[in-house]
């Protein structure tokens, strides 16, 4: 029970860097001596000191003979920073309690081996489920080389995302929109389809004080995006156009001249979404927020690329057989093929209900 109390604090401090450590995981560390927390640390950003180093620096001489609680196995190799396992040994820590081993199969367990070889007592698996949930993005990226994909939409009680005349601002309440911008802030990239791009000309930025703008990804098989579009001209964030070999070469050249990153994903009529996801992961974009229309939503779901869903349901009924819905496309012909969510949650957010869950494999 004591181990769980201190590990919960380590998980809490790790989340302070949510959305800031990519492509690294979020990690928290707590140094405990004689039943009292004497230091805390968390990883701030890739390329900077790891959580253990911050905690050891804060603890100073108090680290000798102490126990350190860390949410992830201390690293044993030289990367952008020196190995944390050696730093713990040099500091004289007597016990290391870790929530989980490193999910990278090339290094998993080596940090623990180094610590045990030096006589350090090691305990692994305290609040492991919580630690895995904390770093679900990193775990998928490092083990499968794919980004963790969250699909988000706001709809009326009858599932409409716009009126029959195309009006959509605003179906959801202010509190829901603020949470949506939080999602943009913590994801590496935001993705929409060309239909949404042409209809709305969105900026796809984060409207939060101190917020981080995600990389903008536009799925546009024919590169129809106007050269004056906000995502191409506002300079607020990097933009990637995902297209096919059928896009006009002169348009591709014009986009490149604007500094746009082009990903050619396929030779067919539509962008090959699995290929696109692999290309984004290769660019160290570990998380993608999908905020497109019903067509791209269905395409992502049908391709099995979505991990998590957030649906903001407003207490409004819009109606209209031709009004846009949150998921369109060809649809699933059988209920057995329908997307099912697990770990389903529902909570009140302003005047809306926020529904969430993970897509069953």
């Amino acid at each position: 029970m004591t181990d769980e109390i201190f590990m919960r604090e380590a998980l809490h401090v790790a989340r302070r860097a949510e959305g800031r450590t990519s492509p690294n995981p979020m990690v928290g560390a707590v140094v405990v001596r004689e039943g009292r927390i004497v230091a805390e640390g968390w990883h701030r950003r890739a390329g900077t000191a790891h959580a253990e180093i911050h905690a050891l620096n804060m603890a100073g001489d108090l680290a000798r003979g102490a126990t350190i609680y860390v949410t992830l196995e201390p690293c044993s190799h030289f990367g952008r920073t020196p190995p944390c396992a050696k730093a713990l040994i040099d500091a004289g820590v007597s016990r290391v309690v870790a929530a989980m081993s490193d999910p990278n199969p090339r290094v998993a367990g080596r940090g623990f081996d180094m610590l045990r070889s030096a006589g350090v007592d090691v305990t692994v698996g305290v609040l492991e489920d919580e630690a895995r949930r904390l770093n679900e993005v990193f775990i998928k990226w490092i083990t499968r080389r794919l980004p963790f994909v969250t699909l988000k939409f706001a709809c009326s009680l009858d599932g409409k995302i716009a009126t029959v005349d195309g009006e959509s601002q605003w179906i959801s309440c202010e509190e829901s929109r603020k949470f949506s911008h939080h999602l943009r802030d913590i994801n590496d990239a935001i993705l929409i389809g060309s239909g949404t791009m042409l209809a709305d000309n969105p900026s796809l930025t984060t409207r939060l004080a101190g917020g981080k703008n995600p990389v903008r990804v536009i799925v546009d098989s024919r590169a129809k995006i106007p050269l004056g579009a906000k995502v191409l001209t506002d300079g607020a964030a990097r933009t990637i156009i995902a297209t096919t070999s059928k896009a006009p070469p002169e348009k591709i050249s014009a986009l490149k001249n604007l500094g746009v990153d082009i990903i050619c994903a396929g030779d067919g009529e539509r962008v090959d979404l699995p290929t696109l996801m692999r290309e984004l992961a290769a660019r160290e974009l570990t998380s993608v927020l999908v905020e497109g229309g019903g067509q791209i939503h269905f395409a992502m779901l049908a391709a099995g690329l979505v991990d998590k869903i957030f649906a903001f349901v407003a207490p409004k009924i819009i109606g209209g057989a031709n009004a846009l819905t949150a998921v369109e496309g060809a649809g699933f012909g059988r209920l057995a093929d329908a997307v099912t969510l697990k770990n389903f949650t529902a909570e009140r957010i302003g005047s809306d209900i926020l529904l969430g869950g993970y897509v069953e494999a």
Side-chain angles (χ1 to χ4, degrees):
M1 181 61 72
T2 300
D3 282 349
E4 290 186 359
I5 291 172
F6 292 127
M7 186 60 75
R8 205 168 296 281
E9 176 63 14
L11 290 165
H12 172 72
V13 300
R15 199 172 283 280
R16 292 178 182 174
E18 186 175 25
R20 300 298 183 270
T21 63
S22 180
N24 288 357
M26 290 178 278
V27 182
V30 173
V31 179
V32 175
R33 189 181 180 92
E34 297 177 354
R36 183 173 62 91
I37 294 176
V38 297
E40 295 182 341
W42 65 94
H43 182 44
R44 267 75 162 178
R45 193 178 298 274
T48 66
H50 290 186
E52 299 94 320
I53 305 305
H54 285 295
L56 290 176
N57 289 340
M58 182 178 179
D61 292 339
L62 292 176
R64 188 162 299 277
T67 296
I68 186 166
Y69 293 82
V70 61
T71 58
L72 185 67
E73 177 182 359
C75 61
S76 60
H77 62 285
F78 281 88
R80 297 179 184 178
T81 58
C84 292
K86 185 177 185 304
L88 293 172
I89 294 167
D90 293 343
V93 169
S94 64
R95 183 177 181 231
V96 172
V97 181
M100 60 178 288
S101 63
D102 192 325
N104 187 341
R106 294 178 296 178
V107 298
R110 294 182 181 177
F112 296 144
D113 289 343
M114 180 183 290
L115 291 165
R116 290 185 176 116
S117 295
V120 178
D121 182 21
V122 176
T123 300
V124 184
V126 177
L127 299 184
E128 182 173 354
D129 288 345
E130 289 88 338
R132 287 186 171 277
R133 184 62 54 84
L134 172 75
N135 277 313
E136 58 192 8
V137 168
F138 174 73
I139 292 172
K140 182 181 180 185
W141 179 75
I142 200 67
T143 59
R144 297 177 57 193
R145 292 300 173 182
L146 288 170
F148 187 93
V149 177
T150 300
L151 190 155
K152 167 260 163 183
F153 58 84
C155 66
S156 63
L157 197 59
D158 54 337
K160 305 297 184 180
I161 60 173
T163 68
V164 69
D165 292 328
E167 184 182 355
S168 62
Q169 298 182 351
W170 296 106
I171 289 176
S172 59
C173 67
E174 183 177 351
E175 293 87 347
S176 293
R177 297 196 297 274
K178 185 175 181 180
F179 187 84
S180 296
H181 284 285
H182 165 69
L183 292 177
R184 292 185 180 186
D185 176 59
I186 65 174
N187 277 273
D188 291 346
I190 182 170
L191 181 148
I192 65 170
S194 59
T196 300
M197 181 73 252
L198 295 173
D200 299 338
N201 189 24
S203 59
L204 305 178
T205 52
T206 301
R207 298 171 186 86
L208 295 176
K212 170 181 65 68
N213 291 330
V215 174
R216 285 117 27 134
V217 182
I218 315 300
V219 179
D220 189 356
S221 61
R222 294 294 186 278
K224 293 180 179 179
I225 184 171
L227 295 179
K230 292 177 183 177
V231 296
L232 304 181
T233 59
D234 62 10
R238 178 173 149 216
T239 296
I240 296 173
I241 303 296
T243 189
T244 69
S245 60
K246 295 184 182 297
E250 62 275 11
K251 184 65 173 290
I252 296 300
S253 295
L255 290 168
K256 287 181 177 179
N257 288 337
L258 291 174
V260 175
D261 187 3
I262 303 294
I263 295 177
C264 183
D267 300 318
E269 294 299 314
R270 298 182 182 279
V271 169
D272 184 82
L273 294 173
T275 297
L276 171 59
M277 292 301 110
R278 290 191 293 271
E279 289 291 335
L280 295 179
R283 287 162 168 77
E284 296 191 339
L285 296 173
T286 65
S287 57
V288 176
L289 177 66
V290 179
E291 274 195 24
Q295 297 293 333
I296 193 71
H297 289 175
F298 177 75
M300 291 290 292
L301 288 166
L305 298 172
V306 177
D307 298 287
K308 194 173 186 177
I309 294 177
F310 283 116
F312 300 88
V313 182
K316 301 171 183 173
I317 295 178
I318 294 175
N322 295 322
L324 297 175
T325 58
V327 181
E328 296 184 329
F332 297 106
R334 302 187 309 151
L335 284 177
D337 297 328
V339 173
T340 303
L341 301 187
K342 60 184 179 181
N343 300 328
F344 193 68
T345 61
E347 61 178 293
R348 183 77 175 266
I349 179 166
S351 59
D352 300 337
I353 299 294
L354 173 58
L355 304 177
Y358 293 85
V359 175
E360 285 193 346

